[in-house]
Amino acid sequence: MPFKFIKKIFSIAILILSFGVILYKFPQLPRPLYFDEVESAKLALLLDKSPYVPYSPLMTGHATLFFYIILLSFKLFGISRFALRLPSALFAILSCLFLFLIIQKVFKNPLFSLFLAMICVTLQWFITFARISFEASFLLFLELIAIYFLLLFLEKKYIFLLIIVGIFTGLAYNSYPPGRIFFIVPLIALLINKVDKRSIIICVGTFLLIILPLQTYLLFHPDIRIKQQFFIVDSRIPSEKKEKILMDNIAKTGLMLIVKGNADDQFVYNKQAAISPILTLFLLIGFLICLLNMNNFYNALFLVYFFVAFLPSLFTYSGAIMLRTYTAIPSLIYFIGLAILC
């Protein structure tokens, strides 16, 4: 059976699986709506009554891209819980597809890639934010598309693929705040591969063009969310206290990942760790393999992605929250896959 045909079949399979898992009893579960979901709906409806703005100070301050998508969903399906949560669910389903495609490019094994994508789909961590109206699944979707086309560019060297990378990296910047630093991942990947300066300039230029409206707004208005959450930029806190908060966040984030969920995190199911004990074993082995063999491009790529995904958790108040580290999931899946194959 031709390789491309097998890949198409497995792509359809992961879409069907993720569709079934994420949309099962959707949108009744979870019930009722979270407070932030209600606020998201209010913000989306308010955007309909005003000219386009890239940022809103409402809801403690957010870029508006995701909320315009919610507004579109309301216009298509009416104002309902279904329409409010549908965008997150659809982005999560598509994220599963692109995760499969990325893993397949890395491991060159469609069946094994399907298996790893299935692990992602069945993670409670992944499912939780796929079924509620938060920006996390949207950000993950944007980042995975950027990484997929980055890998495609490194394989085929078509310059238009880098333009797509720049577009989706810019859109990630315009979504959930952790997406503001995602550009580090494709930039380091291009530098590691010694891509010519012209190509890097095209990618970076596209990125800057996409973020221009939001960044122009932020030049003249404060980013409320960043100011409230990132203690590292708070001049009122002495450096000694900042160091203590950072050390506490590192410890709590590590525990949240593999030992026990943060008691202050409302999204943790029964205070469970993000990863099950069996997967934790493979995760730690795979992580160690990456550290010991960073000359391998994929190891370096997913290590950088992993640390970038965890930075928001480390430098914010009450940082050990699964929502803020959601985009670490692809790296964890890669580490697990690496350990299984070793």
Side-chain angles (χ1 to χ4, degrees):
M1 189 178 294
F3 179 80
K4 288 185 178 180
F5 180 73
I6 293 175
K7 190 169 75 169
K8 287 181 180 178
I9 292 296
F10 286 172
S11 297
I12 294 171
I14 196 62
L15 278 175
I16 293 173
L17 175 63
S18 57
F19 190 94
V21 170
I22 293 170
L23 295 185
Y24 174 71
K25 290 190 176 180
F26 175 87
Q28 287 77 25
L29 298 174
R31 183 184 182 97
L33 293 173
Y34 287 98
F35 173 79
D36 285 352
E37 289 185 280
V38 176
E39 294 300 300
S40 295
K42 291 179 181 178
L43 174 53
L45 292 171
L46 285 173
L47 292 174
D48 193 30
K49 300 175 182 178
S50 61
Y52 169 77
V53 288
Y55 183 92
S56 172
L58 300 176
M59 266 191 74
T60 67
H62 281 270
T64 56
L65 179 59
F66 179 69
F67 302 96
Y68 277 110
I69 295 172
I70 293 177
L71 177 61
L72 175 61
S73 182
F74 282 161
K75 287 182 176 295
L76 291 174
F77 303 105
I79 301 174
S80 63
R81 185 181 305 184
F82 172 84
L84 177 61
R85 288 178 169 172
L86 182 63
S88 288
L90 293 180
F91 288 128
I93 291 168
L94 292 174
S95 293
C96 295
L97 172 62
F98 277 94
L99 179 62
F100 164 76
L101 294 174
I102 290 169
I103 294 172
Q104 194 280 321
K105 279 196 169 298
V106 173
F107 292 114
K108 313 296 183 185
N109 184 327
L111 183 59
F112 184 63
S113 302
L114 177 64
F115 169 70
L116 291 179
M118 289 172 60
I119 291 177
C120 175
V121 173
T122 54
L123 281 178
Q124 183 67 40
W125 188 7
F126 178 80
I127 296 171
T128 295
F129 297 107
R131 298 174 64 89
I132 54 182
S133 186
F134 288 166
E135 299 155 285
S137 64
F138 180 48
L139 174 58
L140 181 61
F141 165 73
L142 296 173
E143 292 184 356
L144 289 176
I145 290 184
I147 290 175
Y148 174 73
F149 281 99
L150 171 68
L151 298 181
L152 209 57
F153 166 77
L154 295 175
E155 176 187 333
K156 299 182 180 295
K157 306 300 181 185
Y158 297 148
I159 200 68
F160 79 90
L161 296 171
L162 267 188
I163 294 175
I164 296 175
V165 174
I167 290 172
F168 281 93
T169 302
L171 292 175
Y173 188 96
N174 281 275
S175 62
Y176 192 45
R180 305 276 181 87
I181 57 174
F182 170 71
F183 72 90
I184 296 172
V185 178
L187 182 59
I188 289 180
L190 293 174
L191 293 174
I192 290 175
N193 281 273
K194 298 179 180 178
V195 173
D196 63 276
K197 291 181 180 178
R198 173 178 170 271
S199 298
I200 293 178
I201 290 172
I202 290 173
C203 184
V204 172
T206 304
F207 166 74
L208 293 175
L209 186 64
I210 296 297
I211 72 170
L212 184 60
L214 175 60
Q215 200 55 43
T216 301
Y217 177 93
L218 294 177
L219 284 175
F220 301 100
H221 304 85
D223 189 327
I224 300 171
R225 190 67 174 170
I226 298 297
K227 186 176 180 180
Q228 286 181 340
Q229 291 295 326
F230 280 77
F231 66 83
I232 202 71
V233 298
D234 192 339
S235 59
R236 299 169 300 175
I237 300 179
S239 57
E240 295 82 6
K241 187 173 182 180
K242 289 181 180 179
E243 290 177 8
K244 184 180 184 306
I245 296 174
L246 175 60
M247 292 300 105
D248 287 344
N249 280 349
I250 292 173
K252 288 179 180 178
T253 301
L255 291 172
M256 174 197 78
L257 188 63
I258 61 176
V259 179
K260 183 180 180 181
N262 183 359
D264 297 326
D265 188 350
Q266 62 177 318
F267 304 110
V268 178
Y269 180 72
N270 285 343
K271 306 308 172 191
Q272 293 177 352
I275 304 295
S276 70
I278 295 176
L279 292 180
T280 293
L281 176 62
F282 288 113
L283 165 63
L284 295 176
I285 293 172
F287 183 73
L288 182 60
I289 292 172
C290 282
L291 288 177
L292 295 176
N293 187 20
M294 290 187 62
N295 290 329
N296 179 288
F297 167 67
Y298 293 120
N299 289 354
L301 172 66
F302 283 99
L303 276 174
V304 170
Y305 192 17
F306 173 80
F307 286 117
V308 167
F310 271 97
L311 282 177
S313 178
L314 303 182
F315 291 101
T316 54
Y317 296 105
S318 302
I321 295 176
M322 289 186 180
L323 176 62
R324 295 177 188 167
T325 55
Y326 193 67
T327 54
I329 291 176
S331 296
L332 303 182
I333 296 298
Y334 174 76
F335 297 151
I336 291 167
L338 202 62
I340 293 174
L341 289 179
C342 73

